[in-house]
Amino acid sequence: MGREFLDIFTDWATDYDDFVTGEDEEYKEVFSGYDSILQELVKRSGEFVLELGVGTGNLTRKLLAAGKRVYPIEPSGEMRQLADAKLLGTVDIIDGDMQTFPLPPYKINTILSSYVFHHLNANEKAEVLHQYYGLLEDGGSVVFADTMFIDRDSYEQKLAEAAHNQFYDLEEDLKREYYPLIPDLYRSFKDAGFSVSFMQMNPYVWIVEGKKAN
């Protein structure tokens, strides 16, 4: 992920699981159906998974329970500690981000992330998708769940809603980070060689899946 946001995760780490369970009113819609979103990612994953930005390990735990072999990457030391405690040391969580990480000792057929890809700007997103395409086996896929918008009007509408509701943290978040427009993300996946599809999961979050041809 973009390491310029790492301090945010240091501050957020201990409260992250409260956010994803909907205890924070500002982010309730962002994390609506969180468990179903993670389950959908697990459903779409293959046997050998590279997970980028594992956070506190919620998706990692579901992947391991489903019998997947997971190679988890996380740049935040605080998040790694929390994930390690949650996962009871069943897997080593590796220091890295969405752009720079050690490679697993086996070929991967799925690259997953949840609520992470928006930390990269548009150029970085395009660059890493080419990188991921080269890492995947034929027939493999990139599957990301994240906040994204159909068009600029949809983005502006959510900004206006946040301001109207006095959700100032959410408003600042939407302005600060690199939430993509779906047409732009579609082009980036296609340019990297993937076939691509989108599925909306809640008012903010979509799952994008890019498949590498056999």
Side-chain angles (χ1 to χ4, degrees):
M1 66 173 63
R3 295 229 175 199
E4 68 268 31
F5 299 113
L6 204 53
D7 287 345
I8 295 171
F9 281 86
T10 297
D11 295 338
W12 200 18
T14 55
D15 297 324
Y16 183 78
D17 283 345
D18 291 335
F19 276 76
V20 303
T21 53
E23 293 188 22
D24 185 278
E25 187 65 27
E26 290 198 38
Y27 285 85
K28 185 172 289 187
E29 276 198 333
V30 177
F31 290 106
S32 175
Y34 178 71
D35 190 71
S36 296
I37 291 168
L38 299 192
Q39 291 285 53
E40 184 66 26
L41 292 175
V42 174
K43 176 182 173 182
R44 294 175 183 233
S45 66
E47 182 180 358
F48 300 104
V49 177
L50 170 65
E51 186 189 353
L52 298 170
V54 305
T56 61
N58 295 320
L59 177 56
T60 317
R61 182 165 59 181
K62 290 181 180 296
L63 290 164
L64 293 171
K68 312 294 183 178
R69 186 171 181 180
V70 186
Y71 193 75
I73 304 292
E74 172 56 49
S76 166
E78 290 76 14
M79 290 287 195
R80 288 198 302 273
Q81 289 179 4
L82 291 169
D84 189 60
K86 184 180 292 182
L87 300 170
L88 304 175
T90 53
V91 64
D92 291 330
I93 302 166
I94 297 150
D95 184 6
D97 54 52
M98 294 199 82
Q99 296 167 286
T100 305
F101 48 86
L103 294 177
Y106 48 84
K107 194 71 173 175
I108 52 177
N109 50 33
T110 313
I111 299 174
L112 290 185
S113 77
S114 58
Y115 294 83
V116 178
F117 201 41
H118 63 272
H119 295 300
L120 301 181
N121 65 39
N123 288 335
E124 291 168 338
K125 287 183 178 72
E127 290 171 1
V128 297
L129 288 173
H130 284 274
Q131 176 186 354
Y132 301 160
Y133 188 91
L135 292 177
L136 286 168
E137 290 185 319
D138 291 346
S141 60
V142 168
V143 191
F144 293 158
D146 207 353
T147 293
M148 57 190 75
F149 299 95
I150 294 175
D151 52 29
R152 176 62 58 176
D153 286 345
S154 298
Y155 168 72
E156 295 291 346
Q157 180 182 349
K158 286 301 182 187
L159 272 181
E161 285 179 11
H164 175 76
N165 293 327
Q166 299 182 20
F167 291 168
Y168 299 126
D169 288 341
L170 176 58
E171 182 186 13
E172 177 59 28
D173 183 353
L174 291 172
K175 290 178 179 179
R176 178 185 60 235
E177 303 197 31
Y178 308 116
Y179 296 105
L181 303 183
I182 286 176
D184 296 335
L185 197 54
Y186 176 87
R187 283 190 292 271
S188 293
F189 270 87
K190 294 294 286 186
D191 287 348
F194 293 102
S195 61
V196 60
S197 62
F198 294 84
M199 183 171 78
Q200 189 167 14
M201 302 299 292
N202 70 30
Y204 284 87
V205 173
W206 296 65
I207 288 178
V208 55
E209 181 172 10
K211 285 187 170 291
K212 181 176 179 176
N214 289 313

